[in-house]
Amino acid sequence: MAVGLVQDEADDLRAALAHAPQQPERAEAALEAVLDLWFWWVVYDARDEGRRHLAELLPLCRADSPLTARGMWLAAWLSVASGADEAAELLRHAWPAAVLAGDDATVGRIAHVQGVLALYDGDRDRAAGHFTEAAETIPLLAPGGLSAAVSLAALALTRARDDPSTARRAARRALTLPGIRGDAWACLVARYALALVDHRDGRTGRAWRRGRRILAHLDSRLPAPHGTAAVRQLLADIESGAAGTVLLPTVSGGGTAPQLPALTATGTAGPHS
């Protein structure tokens, strides 16, 4: 598994990337390696390390390189939690470069990060529009970044409060896309979205069972992927019958995620409802 390989080779990877800025002729190769590790920086909360490598390597690469557009997209995503203005500025530069390169995957992934920024602004309608665009633009099975399934799951989470039917359809569609079974993080986010919609519909027993299945499928030998804390919090809210604040695991790479409004406590919630 890729995560296990990164763990095993972490020291060698860090050493190689540490020397890369002193070898400008190898900057693009090093940048490509950082981009290939996007899931480590994003899904396993190594945001600051990923941002540092990108900040060192991007100035050494050609501005018109497709790798540079991808690098700015990833840097923006990793910057959202700590600097929305910085993230937005990176996206402004990344978007035209991705369009000129005909890189639909990066164009769609830029839209996803724009959706995350909209969530930080509290604008769920705008966020939903961006996530829909991302899901429609990212090609199926596109390597090197988040999949369309993640954007569909993000759409489901964004619409869970005010449009549960749309939310449920988006989450279910995410779980039917090609390659989803091999994308553990996309599965986690999409299944969490379904559990959340069930909880908000009063189907707490089903939501609890979905949440338990998510945790049961995690590999205990690996660090917990981003979003796991949200699943555990949802289960705790269901089991206690308390109103809960639902974290959005669509905002990855560390920092404080935006939150959906707290559920209204009914006094009847519980794992057997």
Side-chain angles (χ1 to χ4, degrees), residues 28-50:
E28 287 202 358
L31 177 59
E32 188 167 16
V34 172
L35 292 170
D36 287 342
L37 293 171
W38 73 271
F39 62 90
W40 181 254
W41 319 126
V42 170
V43 181
Y44 292 93
D45 286 340
R47 173 193 60 178
D48 291 341
E49 184 178 1

Side-chain angles (χ1 to χ4, degrees), residues 161 196 199-200 237 242-247 259-265:
R161 184 180 74 122
L196 171 61
H199 188 26
R200 286 180 173 262
D237 292 339
T245 299
V246 182
L247 302 177
Q259 300 171 348
L260 290 172
L263 296 169
T264 301

